[in-house]
Amino acid sequence: MANPIFANLPTTIFEEMSGLARELSAVNLGQGFPDDPGPDAIREKAADAVLNGYNQYPPMAGLPELRQAVAAHYARTQGVELDWASEVTVTSGATEALAAAFLALIEPGDEVVVFQPVYDSYLPMIRAAGGVPKLVSLQPPSWRFTREMLQAAFSERTRFVVLNNPMNPTGVVFPEGDLALLAEFCVAHDVIAICDEVWEQVVFEGACHRPLIGFPGMRERAVKIGSAGKMFGLTGWKVGFLAAAPALSRSLARAHQFLTFTTPPNLQAAVAWGLANSEAWFRDMPRDLARSRDRLSDGLRREGFAVLPAQGAYFLCVDLPGSGVAMGDREFCLQAVKQAGVATIPVSALYEDEPVTNIVRLCFAKRDATLDAGIEGLAKARALAVRRREPGSATA
Ligand code: PMP
Ligand code: GLN
C-alpha cells in the first residue's frame, strides 16, 4: 500500500532529464544548476567549519549567526525588517521550507490558489497537507495574472495563495502593480501568501524584485521563503530560510522540527559569513548570468528559435511553433536529448491540467563552451523536427 498522492506521480521532470543527460552524456540545459562551482571564499568557510567548527546538532531554528545574517540581508537589500529571534527559521533548502509551510498551516479542505506552470513540489505537498489546490493558468508570452483570473480563483474557502516570484520556469519578475493586486486579494479574503522567493537575488537589468511581505497588509500574512543555494549558486547545499511574523513562525518551526529538525551547521556557518561578505558577488553574479542568457538567446535566435524574454532566475524559454517546430514540447525534448545530445525541460510537465505544450525551458547558468554546445545540439534538434514534419500537419 502506498499513498496515491506520491505513488501515482512520475519521477520529477528535473531528475528525469538529468538522468537522461547522465546516461547519454548529453549537454545538460535542463535542471537548474550552474557550471560555476560557487564563490571560493564561502566554500572555504564551509570546509574550515567542517574541519575546525562544531559538527553536532545546531539549534532547531538555525544558528543564531545565520538567522541574524538573514534578517540583516533582507533589511539591507529589500527593506524588510525582521526580528531574527522570532521571525527567521533555517531549513534544509526551500524545498523543506515549502513543505513545512504547507504542513504547518493548511487544514484539510482549505483551498490554496496556485499558479501554473507550478514548481514540482507544490501540488503533492499541498495535497499531503489536506489542501485543495485551485489552479490559475498563466500563458506565454507574458505569463501574467489579471484581476479576472484572481476573481475566478479566490472564494470564501480560499485560505492560501502560493506565489513564486521571480518565477521558475518563466523567468518573469512580477511588477509592483501585479503584486499590489495580489496583496489586495489576500487582504480582502483574509488569505496567507506563501512566497517562494528563492530567485530573489537572480534578477537582471530593468527588473526589480519586490517581496510580497512588504506590501500593505501583508506583513502578518506572508511567509517569505529563500534559498542560499540560489543566492550563491550552490544548489546542492540545501540551506533555506523561512521568514514570517512570530505567530506564523511558531507554527512553521513546529513542522520543521519533525521534517529535518536542523540543517548542517557547517553550511549554515558558511552561508552566514557569505551573506555578510558578498556585496561584490550579489552585484556581479546577475550581470554575468545576463551575459550568459544573452549568449544563449543570441545563438538560438541565429539558429531560428523564437526566444521569450527572461528577467530573472537561470532560465529562458523558447516557443516551438514560433521556431518552426510543429511538435509537442515533451516529444521535442526527448528527441533533443536522445538524438541531438542536449537535455531541456518541457514546460507542460509543470502544468497539472490544460498544459501549455509549446514551450521549452533552458538553463543558461553555464560556461560559454556548454552554452555553445547546447546551441549546436538544439539547432540539430530543430533541424530534425522541421525535417520530420509531415505534409498537412499544423504549420509553424
Ligand atoms: N522553489 C523554486 C521555484 C525553485 O526553483 C527551487 C529550486 N530550483 C526550489 C524551490 C528549491 O530550492 P532548494 O534547492 O533550496 O530546496
Ligand atoms: N529547481 C531546479 C530547477 O528548476 C530543480 C530542483 C530539483 O531538481 N528538485 O531546475
Side-chain angles (χ1 to χ4, degrees):
M1 297 299 277
N3 184 336
I5 293 174
F6 296 102
N8 294 342
L9 288 175
T11 301
T12 83
I13 192 67
F14 307 120
E15 179 62 20
E16 182 188 353
M17 285 296 165
S18 279
L20 283 170
R22 282 190 291 266
E23 195 181 305
L24 302 168
S25 301
V27 178
N28 193 350
L29 303 186
Q31 195 175 33
F33 60 90
D35 273 353
D36 188 275
D40 287 344
I42 298 180
R43 289 184 297 123
E44 276 160 19
K45 288 284 167 199
D48 182 56
V50 169
L51 288 176
N52 305 310
Y54 186 71
N55 285 284
Q56 309 306 333
Y57 295 128
M60 187 265 281
L63 291 186
E65 67 200 82
L66 177 53
R67 297 161 72 201
Q68 284 158 9
V70 168
H73 177 77
Y74 285 144
R76 193 166 56 236
T77 59
Q78 298 180 23
V80 177
E81 299 288 340
L82 296 162
D83 172 38
W84 71 268
S86 62
E87 298 192 306
V88 180
T89 310
V90 177
T91 59
S92 293
T95 308
E96 197 228 333
L98 286 158
F102 297 143
L103 292 172
L105 304 178
I106 294 173
E107 290 186 55
D110 285 350
E111 287 190 4
V112 185
V113 172
V114 180
F115 298 96
Q116 303 191 99
V118 54
Y119 187 66
D120 60 354
S121 78
Y122 297 179
L123 297 179
M125 296 311 293
I126 288 168
R127 292 199 170 105
V132 180
K134 288 285 145 185
L135 299 171
V136 178
S137 282
L138 304 181
Q139 302 291 329
S142 76
W143 311 103
R144 304 262 298 277
F145 54 82
T146 61
R147 178 176 292 278
E148 292 67 36
M149 288 159 114
L150 297 184
Q151 259 157 359
F154 278 71
S155 76
E156 69 282 0
R157 290 179 302 282
T158 309
R159 289 285 162 270
F160 302 93
V161 60
V162 187
L163 178 71
N164 177 208
N165 181 40
M167 190 180 188
N168 175 9
T170 64
V172 170
V173 179
F174 288 103
E176 181 158 357
D178 295 22
L179 298 171
L181 177 68
L182 188 60
E184 179 194 318
F185 270 75
C186 290
V187 172
H189 290 262
D190 195 17
V191 156
I192 290 173
I194 296 171
C195 307
D196 177 347
E197 300 186 354
V198 298
W199 297 104
E200 58 204 341
Q201 293 298 143
V202 189
V203 172
F204 309 126
E205 72 292 319
C208 175
H209 173 69
R210 293 284 317 274
L212 195 65
I213 198 170
F215 282 72
M218 296 306 294
R219 184 63 177 79
E220 307 297 317
R221 60 173 69 256
V223 176
K224 175 173 169 58
I225 293 174
S227 169
K230 302 299 182 300
M231 288 177 167
F232 296 114
L234 296 162
T235 62
W237 273 29
K238 307 299 273 191
V239 177
F241 325 117
L242 279 161
L248 287 171
S249 281
R250 271 193 298 279
S251 301
L252 298 170
R254 295 289 178 273
H256 161 68
Q257 69 181 344
F258 296 132
L259 283 168
T260 59
F261 182 63
T262 49
T263 298
N266 25 61
L267 298 184
Q268 290 195 54
V271 170
W273 183 88
L275 285 172
N277 293 281
S278 296
E279 211 176 307
W281 168 264
F282 287 132
R283 183 192 62 226
D284 296 344
M285 174 266 288
R287 195 195 56 201
D288 293 346
L289 281 168
R291 204 192 53 77
S292 299
R293 173 200 61 184
D294 293 345
R295 187 180 186 94
L296 182 60
S297 37
D298 292 349
L300 290 172
R301 286 198 181 103
R302 273 198 300 276
E303 297 296 343
F305 282 94
V307 181
L308 272 51
Q311 302 173 298
Y314 291 163
F315 313 112
L316 63 76
C317 289
V318 296
D319 173 66
L320 292 179
S323 310
V325 175
M327 190 184 259
D329 59 347
R330 185 169 169 84
E331 194 189 349
F332 178 81
C333 291
L334 287 174
Q335 180 170 297
V337 69
K338 289 181 181 167
Q339 293 179 37
V342 54
T344 56
I345 300 292
V347 165
S348 63
L350 305 174
Y351 281 77
E352 181 167 85
D353 61 5
E354 298 174 13
V356 167
T357 58
N358 60 314
I359 302 289
V360 170
R361 189 196 84 172
L362 308 171
C363 175
F364 52 73
K366 304 291 173 186
R367 290 190 196 97
D368 288 353
T370 311
L371 294 173
D372 294 349
I375 294 164
E376 201 181 314
L378 286 162
K380 184 173 168 199
R382 180 178 174 278
L384 285 170
V386 170
R387 207 171 312 142
R388 263 193 28 180
R389 191 164 61 190
E390 288 173 11
S393 65
T395 49

